[in-house]
């Protein structure tokens, strides 16, 4: 009894205490939240939302509507007006982790593409509750999403379980390409409210001075490290060599290609303790420089080493941050301790803050200046006096024309949200300095900004992936793999679906980064499924690229459709299946497009790559000189050759996906028909009709109907529901065949998925 009462009393006391603690916690979290929100607002970067209901508040803090940071870069690294910059295909993308997000973008979307989608069934599916975003928003086109669906309710044992041998081949995850006709269920309850994003106004102001952007600092060169490795019982030293070619810059700024050899830790558990890091460039072996030696010579030198080998290695610039992080983590040092500032650095920062450094914001960007102290009344109200750093010019400018500048120690800051003064000029400055230092990834709070690199950097490999395995985001340097890892980790720990949204203008790297994300996930998570394989996954992309990509003024291989990639994970956290859903194909491109842009790749592939018998069957032995749809074969031999290779690759991809030869033939017949319809054109001589009957005859032949049947189905009014194309054809002679061409390609794209 006593015990019982005591217990009850204790229980009551505990309950009360718990309740108080909870209340306090909630009060604290509200206060914390408020201050966070204030910081976010003050910085103008994120707006924080929190649901008022208990469930919502427990769910999480939602950060929505990031302002996309548009960085236009070119090799000269000048800042430009993003919206007017049309020909430069180097740009940045912003990536948003762990939630469904909508944001604006500067990509121009053809109105027709959007209208087309409003009519299409896929659009209907996508517009169901929980679809990505409003379908009438151009933003939709830019969203490529990766979702994860966790099926299990049990705790997952561990993150990642892919063993990798020393020469482990590419992972062989299992993928099941499938046409998804439903927006996955997990989207439905996570619809984010659409909010207007304030895009900063363009600055048009100029000042009577020679205004310069700050100089871009050369990449930081990391000190080489010397290591002595012992030969093992197995005869090796526990590291592997990797050869790659990299673009490098000469002192005069010219870019050249050079071969480098990496000395990277092997796949064994012990190998990671050797002190080598993925991305370590081999500089010396036993005191001898090997930078200009070939692989065989290097291998021989290692073989001839005795029981030990001395290596001098240096991290490549693009992986230097990661390398530092890795070494820091393996030394078990906490971040703060490792990055402790020296006395000189502290003194330099103090000096910086003592003189008020500001950015003068102008039409061509921003220039560093010192704000001068002036006696009261000597400067009109609302004005400030500044001295430009580069030439000492003194200017009197509006207070609004200047932004506070951060000390140089923040120039290459890894996370923009840690800038003391978070304004547009400071953000652009840091991104620009980082890009100049070959650092293309930068965190921006929970997002990452990735700037399209000039070259194909050597920062993506299976070894680099393994540097992120099991890591928390705060323990790694900014990298696209870090984003995938954060999402995977969150998936396992919260058992909730995760989404990654890639935003950016055309050519900014959304597709490329989406592939890196998928590669990371399937490599690190592994797969035990029998239907999923990297080969099939690649085949799906090859086909989508052929039917949905083309060359535009912004991107030589632009995808003219959005897609959602979904990976399903099983209870063990391994990939169980995968699917791609495509939307918003710009089908009008089949018949009409801007000058100097191409039609979908597949037409060029087919015209260049069809073999003798297919050519004969498609009547492709010679091509028309004109096409109402502008579908003409490549004229340059090298382009033809490349297209022919791509056609062979496309056929092989179809084979991998078990598309039979007969089915493939049907595709070519339909595409051939579109080509011939374009070549036939249309005219209005009395009545609307084909302009060149011989080509129309070929189209009819490929379709298996007579010329009269084809002609009447295109030019004669049709009863409602018979043919979907009559209305637009009747709009004008030039339109003839357009609709059927577009429809065919559209159906085709859906079918082929
Ligand atoms: N991180 C990167 N590393 C190497 N190359 C890149 C990277 N990001 C982009 N690129 C290159 O830039 C080009 C454009 O990239 P991508 O096609 O991924 O852009 P996108 O944003 O998907 O364009 P679109 O919306 O037009 O399809 C490609 O040739 C790609 O190889």
């Amino acid at each position: 009894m006593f015990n019982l009462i005591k217990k009850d009393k204790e229980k009551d006391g505990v309950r009360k205490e718990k309740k108080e603690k909870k209340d306090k916690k909630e009060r604290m979290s509200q206060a914390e939240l408020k201050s966070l929100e204030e910081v976010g607002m003050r910085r103008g970067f994120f707006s924080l939302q929190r649901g008022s209901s208990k469930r919502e508040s427990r769910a999480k803090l939602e950060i929505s509507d990031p302002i996309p940071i548009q960085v236009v870069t070119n090799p000269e690294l000048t800042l430009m007006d993003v919206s007017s910059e049309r020909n430069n295909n180097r740009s940045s993308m912003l990536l948003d982790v762990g939630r469904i997000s909508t944001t604006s973008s500067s990509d121009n979307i053809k109105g027709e593409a959007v209208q087309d989608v409003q009519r299409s069934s896929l659009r209907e599916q996508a517009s169901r509750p929980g679809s990505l975003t409003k379908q009438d928003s151009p933003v939709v086109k830019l969203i490529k999403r990766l979702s994860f669906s966790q099926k299990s309710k049990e705790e997952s044992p561990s993150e990642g379980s892919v063993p990798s041998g020393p020469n482990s081949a590419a992972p062989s995850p299992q993928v099941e390409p499938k046409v998804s006709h439903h927006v996955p269920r997990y989207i439905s309850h996570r619809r984010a409210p659409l909010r207007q994003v304030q895009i900063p106004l363009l600055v048009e102001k100029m000042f009577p001075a020679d205004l310069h952007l700050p100089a871009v600092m050369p990449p930081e060169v990391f000190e080489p490290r010397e290591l002595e490795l012992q030969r093992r019982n197995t005869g090796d030293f526990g590291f592997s060599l990797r050869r790659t070619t990299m673009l490098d810059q000469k002192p005069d700024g010219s870019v050249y290609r050079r071969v480098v050899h990496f000395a990277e830790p092997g796949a064994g558990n012990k190998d990671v303790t050797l002190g080598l890091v993925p991305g370590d460039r081999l500089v010396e072996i036993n005191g001898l420089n090997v930078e200009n030696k070939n692989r065989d010579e290097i291998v021989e030198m290692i073989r001839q080493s005795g029981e030990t080998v001395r290596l001098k290695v240096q991290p490549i610039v693009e992986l230097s941050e990661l390398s530092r992080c890795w070494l820091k983590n393996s030394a078990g040092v906490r971040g703060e301790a490792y990055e402790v500032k020296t006395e000189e650095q502290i003194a330099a920062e103090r000096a910086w803050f003592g003189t008020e450094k500001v950015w003068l914001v102008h039409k061509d960007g921003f220039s560093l200046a010192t704000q001068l102290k002036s006696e009261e009344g000597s400067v009109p109200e609302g004005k400030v006096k500044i001295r430009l750093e580069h030439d000492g010019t003194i200017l009197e400018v509006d207070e609004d024309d200047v932004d506070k500048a951060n000390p140089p120690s923040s120039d290459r800051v890894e996370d923009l949200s840690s800038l003391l003064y978070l304004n547009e000029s400071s953000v652009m400055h840091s991104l620009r300095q980082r890009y100049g230092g070959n650092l293309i990834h930068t965190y921006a709070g929970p997002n990452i900004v990735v700037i399209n690199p000039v070259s194909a950097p050597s920062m993506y490999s299976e070894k680099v992936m393994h540097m992120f395995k099991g890591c928390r985001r705060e323990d790694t340097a900014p990298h696209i793999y870090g984003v995938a890892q954060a999402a995977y980790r969150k998936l396992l720990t919260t058992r909730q679906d995760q989404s990654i949204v890639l935003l950016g203008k055309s050519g900014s790297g959304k597709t490329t980064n989406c592939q890196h994300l998928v590669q990371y996930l399937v490599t690190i998570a592994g797969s035990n499924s029998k239907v999923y394989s990297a080969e099939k996954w690649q085949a799906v992309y090859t086909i989508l690229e052929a039917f949905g990509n083309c060359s535009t003024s912004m991107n030589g291989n632009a995808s003219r459709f959005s897609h959602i990639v979904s990976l399903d994970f099983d209870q063990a956290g391994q990939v169980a299946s995968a699917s791609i859903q495509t939307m918003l194909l710009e089908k009008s491109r089949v018949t009409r497009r801007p000058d100097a842009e191409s039609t979908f790749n597949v037409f060029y592939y087919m015209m260049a790559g069809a073999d003798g018998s297919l050519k004969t069957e498609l009547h492709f032995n010679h091509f028309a000189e004109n096409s109402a749809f502008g579908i003409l074969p490549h004229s340059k031999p090298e382009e033809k050759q490349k297209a022919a290779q791509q056609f062979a690759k496309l056929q092989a991809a179809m084979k991998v996906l078990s598309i039979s030869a007969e089915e493939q033939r049907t595709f070519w017949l339909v595409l051939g028909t579109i080509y011939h319809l374009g070549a036939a054109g249309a005219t209005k001589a009395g009545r609307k009709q084909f302009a060149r009957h011989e080509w129309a005859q070929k189209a009819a032949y490929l379709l298996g109907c007579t010329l009269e049947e084809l002609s009447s189905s295109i030019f004669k009014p049709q009863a409602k529901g018979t043919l979907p194309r009559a209305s637009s054809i009747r709009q004008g002679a030039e339109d003839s065949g357009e609709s059927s061409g577009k429809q065919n390609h559209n159906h085709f794209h859906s079918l082929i998925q």
Side-chain angles (χ1 to χ4, degrees):
M1 184 68 150
F2 174 78
N3 278 341
L4 195 63
I5 292 168
K6 194 182 170 196
K7 252 188 164 175
D8 276 351
K9 269 192 181 164
E10 266 181 7
K11 232 182 181 173
D12 280 351
V14 169
R15 258 195 221 131
K16 209 171 155 194
E17 207 175 295
K18 262 192 188 161
K19 191 170 179 299
E20 270 169 11
K21 261 192 194 159
K22 196 174 155 218
D23 285 351
K24 195 171 164 203
K25 202 171 159 192
E26 272 179 8
R27 274 202 306 279
M28 276 176 62
S29 65
Q30 284 297 341
E32 280 166 1
L33 176 65
K34 193 145 182 13
S35 74
L36 244 180
E37 194 161 4
E38 273 162 10
V39 172
M41 289 303 203
R42 185 165 61 79
R43 293 179 164 186
F45 217 86
F46 311 115
S47 86
L48 308 178
Q49 303 169 343
R50 190 168 193 163
S52 51
S53 76
K54 198 172 168 190
R55 187 156 165 248
E56 277 172 326
S57 70
R58 198 170 0 116
K60 65 172 176 308
L61 197 68
E62 284 214 344
I63 300 175
S64 69
D65 295 348
I67 299 171
I69 302 162
Q70 299 278 349
V71 182
V72 181
T73 60
N74 63 20
E76 286 82 52
L77 287 167
T78 52
L79 295 178
M80 301 164 99
D81 163 13
V82 173
S83 55
S84 66
E85 196 267 334
R86 280 276 161 266
N87 298 323
N88 194 338
N89 71 357
R90 300 288 173 197
S91 57
S92 76
M93 49 160 282
L94 186 136
L95 217 143
D96 208 2
V97 190
R99 65 198 168 84
I100 292 172
S101 162
T102 60
T103 187
S104 68
S105 161
S106 64
D107 195 24
N108 56 331
I109 303 301
K110 304 260 176 302
E112 194 183 335
V114 175
Q115 286 160 21
D116 284 341
V117 161
Q118 285 170 346
R119 291 191 294 266
S120 79
S121 61
L122 272 178
R123 189 257 176 198
E124 281 159 28
Q125 292 148 18
S127 67
R128 279 175 202 148
S131 74
L132 285 178
T133 181
K134 271 187 190 163
Q135 295 304 306
D136 56 0
S137 157
V139 173
V140 160
K141 185 109 194 294
L142 297 171
I143 296 182
K144 295 176 182 193
R145 240 192 37 183
L146 181 73
S147 311
F148 311 81
S149 174
Q150 176 84 11
K151 290 185 172 151
S152 154
K153 291 226 165 14
E154 288 159 35
E155 268 306 305
S156 171
S158 67
E159 275 185 56
S161 47
V162 179
S164 67
N167 300 314
S168 68
S172 57
Q174 307 292 307
V175 66
E176 183 182 15
K178 63 186 178 196
V179 184
S180 170
H181 290 293
H182 301 281
V183 169
R185 244 184 319 126
Y186 51 80
I187 299 176
S188 63
H189 57 96
R190 307 194 60 178
R191 193 177 196 173
L194 264 191
R195 285 184 42 188
Q196 281 274 306
V197 175
Q198 293 287 325
I199 306 283
L201 291 176
L202 284 179
V203 177
E204 295 290 348
K205 217 163 168 180
M206 282 307 280
F207 298 90
D210 183 20
L211 296 170
H212 285 278
L213 283 169
V216 176
M217 294 294 127
E220 197 180 343
V221 179
F222 281 76
E223 283 297 304
R225 303 190 318 276
E226 291 207 35
L227 305 161
E228 191 168 278
L229 308 180
Q230 296 292 328
R231 197 182 282 277
R232 298 179 175 179
N233 297 340
T234 43
D236 66 297
F237 290 97
F239 69 94
S240 60
L241 279 180
R242 181 160 68 94
R243 180 186 176 278
T244 188
T245 45
M246 289 177 61
L247 287 187
D248 212 342
Q249 238 176 0
K250 288 185 183 160
D252 64 0
S254 57
V255 177
Y256 70 105
R257 209 169 265 282
R258 68 167 177 161
V259 175
V260 296
H261 289 95
F262 293 108
E264 299 184 315
N269 285 343
K270 269 204 290 177
D271 301 343
V272 290
T273 58
L274 291 178
L276 285 168
V277 183
D280 271 340
R281 194 170 59 82
L282 194 51
V283 182
E284 283 180 11
I285 297 176
N286 298 328
L288 289 172
N289 191 292
V290 292
E291 284 170 292
N292 294 321
K293 298 233 181 289
N294 65 34
R295 190 187 159 86
D296 290 344
E297 288 168 326
I298 292 175
V299 170
E300 195 49 37
M301 284 172 80
I302 296 170
R303 193 173 289 148
Q304 289 190 358
S305 302
E307 280 310 295
T308 58
V309 62
R310 273 184 299 115
L311 303 182
K312 189 186 257 188
V313 292
Q314 189 176 30
I316 54 165
V317 197
E318 45 268 64
L319 286 175
S320 53
E321 280 183 342
L322 208 55
S323 175
R324 195 173 47 202
C325 246
W326 172 276
L327 292 170
K328 177 187 82 181
N329 291 343
S330 43
V333 189
R334 294 297 317 148
E336 308 82 52
Y338 199 82
E339 276 147 28
V340 70
K341 286 179 186 161
T342 60
E343 287 294 324
E344 295 84 64
Q345 282 170 328
I346 294 170
E349 272 187 21
R350 280 214 186 109
W352 176 272
F353 288 120
T355 57
E356 274 210 39
K357 297 286 186 219
V358 290
W359 298 117
L360 173 66
V361 186
H362 50 82
K363 190 167 181 271
D364 293 334
F366 47 91
S367 304
L368 190 63
T370 305
Q371 188 168 332
L372 302 175
K373 291 195 174 65
S374 46
E375 283 172 23
E376 215 173 300
S378 65
V379 181
E381 211 181 312
K383 296 268 183 188
V384 288
K385 214 177 232 183
I386 58 163
R387 188 181 53 238
L388 293 175
E389 282 299 299
H390 58 273
D391 63 0
T393 310
I394 298 199
L395 295 170
E396 208 172 83
V397 299
D398 290 340
E399 273 173 1
D400 290 349
D401 294 333
V402 295
D403 281 338
K404 291 238 180 213
N406 295 286
S409 54
S410 305
D411 276 1
R412 291 199 173 138
V413 71
E414 291 181 13
D415 187 342
L416 295 172
S417 68
S418 65
L419 286 176
L420 183 64
Y421 302 118
L422 192 46
N423 49 56
E424 200 181 334
S425 308
S426 298
V427 164
M428 296 299 274
H429 178 66
S430 290
L431 289 174
R432 197 165 160 265
Q433 292 296 335
R434 284 181 67 78
Y435 189 72
N438 283 13
L439 303 169
I440 65 166
H441 301 98
T442 311
Y443 283 130
N447 307 301
I448 193 169
V449 181
V450 187
I451 307 181
N452 191 332
V454 189
S455 62
S458 306
M459 58 170 66
Y460 309 108
S461 75
E462 206 174 321
K463 288 257 163 70
V464 177
M465 286 180 196
H466 282 277
M467 292 170 84
F468 288 86
K469 187 175 170 182
C471 288
R472 293 177 308 159
R473 212 191 83 158
E474 49 275 29
D475 294 335
T476 59
H479 194 288
I480 192 70
Y481 293 157
V483 174
Q485 168 60 26
Y488 183 56
R489 188 182 170 86
K490 209 160 173 199
L491 175 95
L492 295 181
T493 52
T494 64
R495 324 297 289 177
Q496 284 180 345
D497 297 342
Q498 304 294 317
S499 300
I500 301 173
V501 184
L502 297 107
L503 303 172
K505 66 182 207 174
S506 179
S508 56
K510 299 179 295 295
T511 313
T512 311
N513 282 285
C514 183
Q515 285 175 357
H516 289 311
L517 289 166
V518 173
Q519 265 167 13
Y520 179 87
L521 290 164
V522 293
T523 306
I524 294 305
S527 167
N528 57 7
S529 169
K530 297 276 182 299
V531 276
Y532 180 102
S533 75
E535 194 190 13
K536 281 185 184 174
W537 187 251
Q538 189 51 48
V540 170
Y541 261 98
T542 302
I543 294 175
L544 287 178
E545 211 176 290
F547 285 87
N549 284 29
C550 63
S551 155
T552 68
S553 56
M554 306 283 283
N555 184 356
N557 191 22
S559 3
R560 306 311 295 172
F561 61 96
S562 321
H563 64 271
I564 299 176
V565 176
S566 300
L567 296 181
D568 289 320
F569 292 82
D570 65 13
Q571 295 179 8
Q574 293 191 312
V575 177
S577 69
S579 66
I580 296 187
Q581 187 186 10
T582 62
M583 304 171 290
L584 288 160
L585 177 69
E586 187 205 18
K587 58 187 178 184
S588 60
R589 180 165 289 272
V590 175
T591 55
R592 245 188 279 187
R593 60 198 156 270
D595 288 344
E597 291 198 0
S598 75
T599 186
F600 291 104
N601 292 342
V602 68
F603 288 102
Y604 304 106
Y605 295 174
M606 192 177 62
M607 288 189 282
D611 62 16
S613 66
L614 185 58
K615 264 193 177 146
T616 308
E617 188 172 10
L618 298 178
H619 292 282
F620 271 10
N621 286 321
H622 77 275
F623 294 104
E625 278 177 14
N626 293 306
S627 163
F629 300 163
I631 304 177
L632 299 168
H634 284 312
S635 50
K636 292 185 190 158
E638 63 275 15
E639 284 177 341
K640 271 188 194 167
Q641 195 191 352
K642 205 170 158 209
Q645 285 166 356
Q646 290 296 332
F647 189 63
K649 194 175 163 196
L650 176 61
Q651 286 175 309
M654 288 183 165
K655 210 169 157 193
V656 169
L657 296 182
S658 309
I659 298 174
S660 70
E662 194 47 37
E663 285 165 333
Q664 288 187 34
R665 189 177 152 266
T666 314
F667 296 155
W668 313 138
L669 288 176
V670 175
L671 291 174
T673 305
I674 297 173
Y675 167 79
H676 288 301
L677 282 175
T683 182
K684 197 176 177 194
R687 62 190 169 85
K688 285 164 200 159
Q689 54 182 289
F690 287 118
R692 292 171 288 275
H693 280 85
E694 68 279 20
W695 295 100
Q697 179 64 65
K698 291 175 184 174
Y701 170 79
L702 297 191
L703 283 177
C705 64
T706 64
L707 181 56
E708 289 69 36
E709 281 169 332
L710 180 64
S711 187
S712 67
S713 73
I714 289 179
F715 297 109
K716 285 200 181 140
Q718 301 292 321
K720 214 174 161 195
T722 47
L723 280 169
R725 52 193 181 273
S727 61
S728 76
I729 288 163
R730 281 198 302 277
Q731 280 160 14
E734 311 84 81
D735 280 350
S736 292
E738 272 195 14
S739 194
S740 62
K742 286 190 293 188
Q743 291 292 347
N744 278 340
H745 193 81
N746 187 35
H747 290 319
F748 216 36
H749 193 259
S750 313
L751 183 72
I752 208 113
Q753 284 177 59

